[in-house]
Amino acid sequence: MKLVSRFVAPSPSIEVFVESLIKLAIALVALDLLSRTKTPAGEAVTRWLNPSTSAGKLEAQTHYALSKQITAAAWPLGFVALIVLTGFLVAVPTFVMASMYFRGKRSLLISIPVSAAATLFIWFLFAQILQLELYPGVLFGNP
């Protein structure tokens, strides 16, 4: 089954690796969704994935409001969407600064230099040391 249609891998082994990662991610999402049900299978998966919870402690877990859960899921999804649209060198500083400022309640005097340092680290490691081209994004990439 082809999960990635537009991905051009430099070698077949990389394509197999990427497809395996996608399949693993789908399996983990399925396990997570199953573990959130109140069925015997869901409780068994919860005990299997988190041995510190016993059958009697499942009711004692902290339950968060749906709005908080949606917000928590929206941040990484927004980061992935930002990477796809603008590429790594725009998405990383934007995400780091926004998450530190809005979620972490840090000042801009701390958020901006940290986001710049994270971007410089990623650029130096991947583009300079490893000689890998960073994804430029749909908006800034070559047509």
Side-chain angles (χ1 to χ4, degrees):
M1 168 171 71
K2 271 293 199 206
L3 294 175
V4 181
S5 60
R6 295 186 64 210
F7 177 72
V8 179
S11 72
S13 63
I14 292 177
E15 187 173 338
V16 169
F17 176 72
V18 170
E19 295 235 358
S20 299
L21 282 180
I22 292 170
K23 290 175 184 175
L24 176 64
I26 291 170
L28 290 175
V29 166
L31 283 174
D32 183 52
L33 291 174
L34 179 62
S35 72
R36 294 172 187 270
T37 64
K38 297 292 183 193
T39 63
E43 291 178 359
V45 168
T46 300
R47 284 190 303 275
W48 178 59
L49 293 175
N50 187 2
S52 66
T53 60
S54 63
K57 292 184 182 178
L58 288 176
E59 293 80 28
Q61 292 178 349
T62 304
H63 295 283
Y64 295 99
L66 182 60
S67 62
K68 286 192 176 225
Q69 293 180 32
I70 291 171
T71 302
W75 277 92
L77 291 175
F79 182 48
V80 170
L82 198 59
I83 290 172
V84 169
L85 290 174
T86 63
F88 281 101
L89 291 179
V90 174
V92 168
T94 303
F95 178 78
V96 171
M97 194 270 313
S99 62
M100 286 183 69
Y101 184 72
F102 294 113
R103 302 279 294 164
K105 307 288 188 228
R106 302 287 188 246
S107 71
L108 287 175
L109 290 174
I110 293 174
S111 302
I112 292 172
V114 169
S115 65
T119 305
L120 283 173
F121 174 76
I122 288 173
W123 172 78
F124 186 71
L125 176 65
F126 291 104
Q128 300 303 308
I129 293 176
L130 297 175
Q131 297 292 311
L132 296 172
E133 181 181 351
L134 292 172
Y135 177 69
V138 174
L139 298 177
F140 304 120
N142 296 331

